[in-house]
Amino acid sequence: MRNKIIFGIALIGLVVIQTVQAQQSCRKVHNFCKSAIPDDERSKIWELNNQSKSATVEKGKIYEIGFIAYKDFVYRLSTCTDVEDGEKINFEIFHTELVRRPDINGNPRIFKDKVSIYNNEENEMTQYYKFRVEKSEKLFVKVNIPSSGKSESKQFKDSDFVCVGVLLEHSKAEKLGF
Amino acid sequence: MFLSTQKPKLSNFWINFSPLLQINKHFIYICLKTQQFKFMKKSFVKGLAILGLATIALVSCEDSSLVLDEDLNEQVDEDIVKIEEQLAEISYTVPTPNELFDIVKALGGELNVGLINSLDNKDNYVDLKSKALNFGVYSADLGYMSCFENGIEFLKYTKAIENLGNELGISEVFDQDLMDRIANNEDDFDSLFTISNETYFDSYLYLEENKKGQELSLIIIGGYIESLYIVTNLIEEYKEGNEMLERIGAQKLVLENIIDFCSQYADETAVSEALSSIMELKSVFDDNMTFVEPDAKAAAQNDGDVRVVASSGSYEMNEKTFNAVKAQITELRNNITQK
């Protein structure tokens, strides 16, 4: 029994070490998402938004971030992983709609509904999206990490983990006085 | 859909990273709930020993927070029912104070150096909590000064932040290269603004990567409090139509993300105390803002190649909210800085 426990702990330890290494080596991977943006788009002035995120995620899983979009900026969101030859990344953006309607007891309440506003499947899986919001909003982006594809020359050789980046950039919306 | 059922309060310790641990959480809950705990104790303890070791290790790999939504649910306004799928873990992010200052400047806001925290206070911050909170405060001050092109104090404030950073274990961010960049750009305010933004972000990443969630949470809270304190105090009195008021109202959303983010570190006393303070501020927003019904005709449209997301229902500022937020944030800020 003792040997089994020791073996179990050792196994868990290996998983943890792999995961910790994975976490640490994805730093600022979001900066590489620019490679998915066409050259003519890159010429415009976009500032890195510090809500950009990089993380380590298991292949086939969903990675989701919640961020704030101010009405004063135009945003460009792009996604990337370090998987080579894999499926294109599918991402979907949601916003929160506040709606007053009756609850199950018939009392009026304000509900927060999470509603999809864009899915890149609608646009041939294009890896970036430009938008602005009429009012400052809380948005969510869900990134579906491809379950296949090689990353042998990348961070996680022979691993089920990949680096994923969500690059958020902003530029100033002209009509608001910038 | 969130449920209001009061589960036994379990530590975040159990609720991280893997479905296995999620099962573990519900397993404990069911055991307690059905009073079968004693009978299951023997096998439970064996499993607990192994899963406990795994959890201790895995906890440090945790990135975000199913638990955040659950904690939040307990604190959410009773009039609001959240409907959210919880299929994926969510990482909550927060805009830096610099973004807010950038907007405020464009709307006609001005520099008022009387609002920034004096460097005379810096030696009063001796415990980790006040060091981290005031690291955030001084970082926001730095962003404010560089945004409004006041470079006189920039290096002094950077030095103060560096000293606090050293004591918080993030000295790597403040290397010679950073100091050289500041010295070489002391008259270039755009560069100083960029540098202050990058320093904040690099500190954030360093703390996140090195599992210093407590310090990171406190820094974010300190930065938020200082930026909202400055912006609310730039407005002497409420005036209908002042666009800055709408931006102050939007800080409720930022506050919600901060609470979501920091709740994962709420087991730390300093974080839970700071969270409790900003929860009071959230209540001030929640209790006083006016709900505006969605415009039925609103629809998404395109502005060139940019999609314009139509707004739905929203909360708006009014005089009562502004005055209450201003009073509350001023008290919070003074509690942090006046030691």
Side-chain angles (χ1 to χ4, degrees), chain B residues 191-204:
Chain B
S191 295
L192 292 179
F193 188 62
T194 302
I195 289 168
S196 73
N197 213 22
E198 286 176 4
T199 307
Y200 190 89
F201 190 47
D202 286 343
S203 304
Y204 178 103

PDB file of all heavy atoms in Angstrom, chain B residues 191-204:
ATOM      1  N   SER B 191       6.550  58.369 -24.097  1.00  0.00           N
ATOM      2  CA  SER B 191       7.394  57.232 -23.714  1.00  0.00           C
ATOM      3  C   SER B 191       7.258  56.928 -22.227  1.00  0.00           C
ATOM      4  O   SER B 191       7.186  55.759 -21.828  1.00  0.00           O
ATOM      5  CB  SER B 191       8.874  57.523 -24.025  1.00  0.00           C
ATOM      6  OG  SER B 191       9.038  57.641 -25.406  1.00  0.00           O
ATOM      7  N   LEU B 192       7.198  57.975 -21.407  1.00  0.00           N
ATOM      8  CA  LEU B 192       7.056  57.752 -19.963  1.00  0.00           C
ATOM      9  C   LEU B 192       5.725  57.072 -19.643  1.00  0.00           C
ATOM     10  O   LEU B 192       5.645  56.195 -18.780  1.00  0.00           O
ATOM     11  CB  LEU B 192       7.165  59.077 -19.201  1.00  0.00           C
ATOM     12  CG  LEU B 192       8.538  59.747 -19.212  1.00  0.00           C
ATOM     13  CD1 LEU B 192       8.497  61.059 -18.437  1.00  0.00           C
ATOM     14  CD2 LEU B 192       9.620  58.840 -18.634  1.00  0.00           C
ATOM     15  N   PHE B 193       4.696  57.480 -20.377  1.00  0.00           N
ATOM     16  CA  PHE B 193       3.376  56.867 -20.181  1.00  0.00           C
ATOM     17  C   PHE B 193       3.435  55.382 -20.546  1.00  0.00           C
ATOM     18  O   PHE B 193       2.931  54.517 -19.818  1.00  0.00           O
ATOM     19  CB  PHE B 193       2.341  57.603 -21.053  1.00  0.00           C
ATOM     20  CG  PHE B 193       0.913  57.195 -20.796  1.00  0.00           C
ATOM     21  CD1 PHE B 193       0.330  57.400 -19.554  1.00  0.00           C
ATOM     22  CD2 PHE B 193       0.152  56.617 -21.794  1.00  0.00           C
ATOM     23  CE1 PHE B 193      -1.000  57.037 -19.318  1.00  0.00           C
ATOM     24  CE2 PHE B 193      -1.172  56.254 -21.573  1.00  0.00           C
ATOM     25  CZ  PHE B 193      -1.742  56.461 -20.330  1.00  0.00           C
ATOM     26  N   THR B 194       4.101  55.120 -21.665  1.00  0.00           N
ATOM     27  CA  THR B 194       4.257  53.716 -22.097  1.00  0.00           C
ATOM     28  C   THR B 194       5.064  52.937 -21.076  1.00  0.00           C
ATOM     29  O   THR B 194       4.728  51.795 -20.731  1.00  0.00           O
ATOM     30  CB  THR B 194       4.958  53.666 -23.478  1.00  0.00           C
ATOM     31  OG1 THR B 194       4.176  54.421 -24.401  1.00  0.00           O
ATOM     32  CG2 THR B 194       5.088  52.233 -23.978  1.00  0.00           C
ATOM     33  N   ILE B 195       6.135  53.553 -20.576  1.00  0.00           N
ATOM     34  CA  ILE B 195       6.993  52.867 -19.602  1.00  0.00           C
ATOM     35  C   ILE B 195       6.207  52.539 -18.328  1.00  0.00           C
ATOM     36  O   ILE B 195       6.299  51.438 -17.780  1.00  0.00           O
ATOM     37  CB  ILE B 195       8.238  53.727 -19.282  1.00  0.00           C
ATOM     38  CG1 ILE B 195       9.181  53.757 -20.490  1.00  0.00           C
ATOM     39  CG2 ILE B 195       8.976  53.182 -18.046  1.00  0.00           C
ATOM     40  CD1 ILE B 195      10.295  54.802 -20.383  1.00  0.00           C
ATOM     41  N   SER B 196       5.410  53.504 -17.868  1.00  0.00           N
ATOM     42  CA  SER B 196       4.656  53.253 -16.636  1.00  0.00           C
ATOM     43  C   SER B 196       3.644  52.129 -16.844  1.00  0.00           C
ATOM     44  O   SER B 196       3.424  51.290 -15.984  1.00  0.00           O
ATOM     45  CB  SER B 196       3.958  54.530 -16.149  1.00  0.00           C
ATOM     46  OG  SER B 196       2.855  54.840 -16.963  1.00  0.00           O
ATOM     47  N   ASN B 197       3.061  52.092 -18.040  1.00  0.00           N
ATOM     48  CA  ASN B 197       2.101  51.036 -18.372  1.00  0.00           C
ATOM     49  C   ASN B 197       2.805  49.672 -18.421  1.00  0.00           C
ATOM     50  O   ASN B 197       2.313  48.679 -17.882  1.00  0.00           O
ATOM     51  CB  ASN B 197       1.477  51.358 -19.739  1.00  0.00           C
ATOM     52  CG  ASN B 197       0.039  50.901 -19.818  1.00  0.00           C
ATOM     53  OD1 ASN B 197      -0.624  50.724 -18.802  1.00  0.00           O
ATOM     54  ND2 ASN B 197      -0.440  50.710 -21.026  1.00  0.00           N
ATOM     55  N   GLU B 198       3.955  49.647 -19.074  1.00  0.00           N
ATOM     56  CA  GLU B 198       4.704  48.385 -19.200  1.00  0.00           C
ATOM     57  C   GLU B 198       5.177  47.885 -17.841  1.00  0.00           C
ATOM     58  O   GLU B 198       5.175  46.687 -17.568  1.00  0.00           O
ATOM     59  CB  GLU B 198       5.911  48.583 -20.128  1.00  0.00           C
ATOM     60  CG  GLU B 198       5.542  48.691 -21.590  1.00  0.00           C
ATOM     61  CD  GLU B 198       6.734  48.989 -22.484  1.00  0.00           C
ATOM     62  OE1 GLU B 198       7.883  49.047 -21.981  1.00  0.00           O
ATOM     63  OE2 GLU B 198       6.511  49.200 -23.675  1.00  0.00           O
ATOM     64  N   THR B 199       5.597  48.832 -16.999  1.00  0.00           N
ATOM     65  CA  THR B 199       6.093  48.431 -15.676  1.00  0.00           C
ATOM     66  C   THR B 199       4.975  47.788 -14.862  1.00  0.00           C
ATOM     67  O   THR B 199       5.177  46.769 -14.189  1.00  0.00           O
ATOM     68  CB  THR B 199       6.634  49.665 -14.920  1.00  0.00           C
ATOM     69  OG1 THR B 199       7.584  50.314 -15.753  1.00  0.00           O
ATOM     70  CG2 THR B 199       7.311  49.271 -13.624  1.00  0.00           C
ATOM     71  N   TYR B 200       3.800  48.390 -14.959  1.00  0.00           N
ATOM     72  CA  TYR B 200       2.640  47.839 -14.245  1.00  0.00           C
ATOM     73  C   TYR B 200       2.338  46.432 -14.756  1.00  0.00           C
ATOM     74  O   TYR B 200       2.120  45.495 -13.977  1.00  0.00           O
ATOM     75  CB  TYR B 200       1.438  48.771 -14.468  1.00  0.00           C
ATOM     76  CG  TYR B 200       0.238  48.470 -13.596  1.00  0.00           C
ATOM     77  CD1 TYR B 200       0.108  49.064 -12.340  1.00  0.00           C
ATOM     78  CD2 TYR B 200      -0.767  47.621 -14.021  1.00  0.00           C
ATOM     79  CE1 TYR B 200      -0.997  48.806 -11.537  1.00  0.00           C
ATOM     80  CE2 TYR B 200      -1.869  47.356 -13.224  1.00  0.00           C
ATOM     81  CZ  TYR B 200      -1.976  47.953 -11.981  1.00  0.00           C
ATOM     82  OH  TYR B 200      -3.072  47.691 -11.193  1.00  0.00           O
ATOM     83  N   PHE B 201       2.335  46.288 -16.081  1.00  0.00           N
ATOM     84  CA  PHE B 201       2.018  44.989 -16.692  1.00  0.00           C
ATOM     85  C   PHE B 201       3.080  43.943 -16.357  1.00  0.00           C
ATOM     86  O   PHE B 201       2.769  42.790 -16.040  1.00  0.00           O
ATOM     87  CB  PHE B 201       1.897  45.170 -18.215  1.00  0.00           C
ATOM     88  CG  PHE B 201       1.341  43.959 -18.926  1.00  0.00           C
ATOM     89  CD1 PHE B 201       0.217  43.302 -18.453  1.00  0.00           C
ATOM     90  CD2 PHE B 201       1.933  43.485 -20.089  1.00  0.00           C
ATOM     91  CE1 PHE B 201      -0.314  42.196 -19.124  1.00  0.00           C
ATOM     92  CE2 PHE B 201       1.409  42.384 -20.764  1.00  0.00           C
ATOM     93  CZ  PHE B 201       0.294  41.740 -20.280  1.00  0.00           C
ATOM     94  N   ASP B 202       4.354  44.356 -16.428  1.00  0.00           N
ATOM     95  CA  ASP B 202       5.435  43.404 -16.119  1.00  0.00           C
ATOM     96  C   ASP B 202       5.377  42.968 -14.651  1.00  0.00           C
ATOM     97  O   ASP B 202       5.641  41.811 -14.334  1.00  0.00           O
ATOM     98  CB  ASP B 202       6.801  44.021 -16.443  1.00  0.00           C
ATOM     99  CG  ASP B 202       7.052  44.077 -17.945  1.00  0.00           C
ATOM    100  OD1 ASP B 202       6.342  43.373 -18.684  1.00  0.00           O
ATOM    101  OD2 ASP B 202       7.925  44.839 -18.375  1.00  0.00           O
ATOM    102  N   SER B 203       5.040  43.919 -13.767  1.00  0.00           N
ATOM    103  CA  SER B 203       4.898  43.560 -12.350  1.00  0.00           C
ATOM    104  C   SER B 203       3.774  42.554 -12.190  1.00  0.00           C
ATOM    105  O   SER B 203       3.890  41.560 -11.467  1.00  0.00           O
ATOM    106  CB  SER B 203       4.582  44.810 -11.508  1.00  0.00           C
ATOM    107  OG  SER B 203       5.561  45.782 -11.687  1.00  0.00           O
ATOM    108  N   TYR B 204       2.688  42.802 -12.898  1.00  0.00           N
ATOM    109  CA  TYR B 204       1.517  41.919 -12.870  1.00  0.00           C
ATOM    110  C   TYR B 204       1.921  40.511 -13.310  1.00  0.00           C
ATOM    111  O   TYR B 204       1.638  39.525 -12.627  1.00  0.00           O
ATOM    112  CB  TYR B 204       0.470  42.506 -13.819  1.00  0.00           C
ATOM    113  CG  TYR B 204      -0.806  41.724 -13.967  1.00  0.00           C
ATOM    114  CD1 TYR B 204      -1.969  42.132 -13.338  1.00  0.00           C
ATOM    115  CD2 TYR B 204      -0.867  40.582 -14.768  1.00  0.00           C
ATOM    116  CE1 TYR B 204      -3.154  41.431 -13.481  1.00  0.00           C
ATOM    117  CE2 TYR B 204      -2.038  39.868 -14.921  1.00  0.00           C
ATOM    118  CZ  TYR B 204      -3.179  40.299 -14.275  1.00  0.00           C
ATOM    119  OH  TYR B 204      -4.341  39.596 -14.424  1.00  0.00           O
TER     120      TYR B 204
END
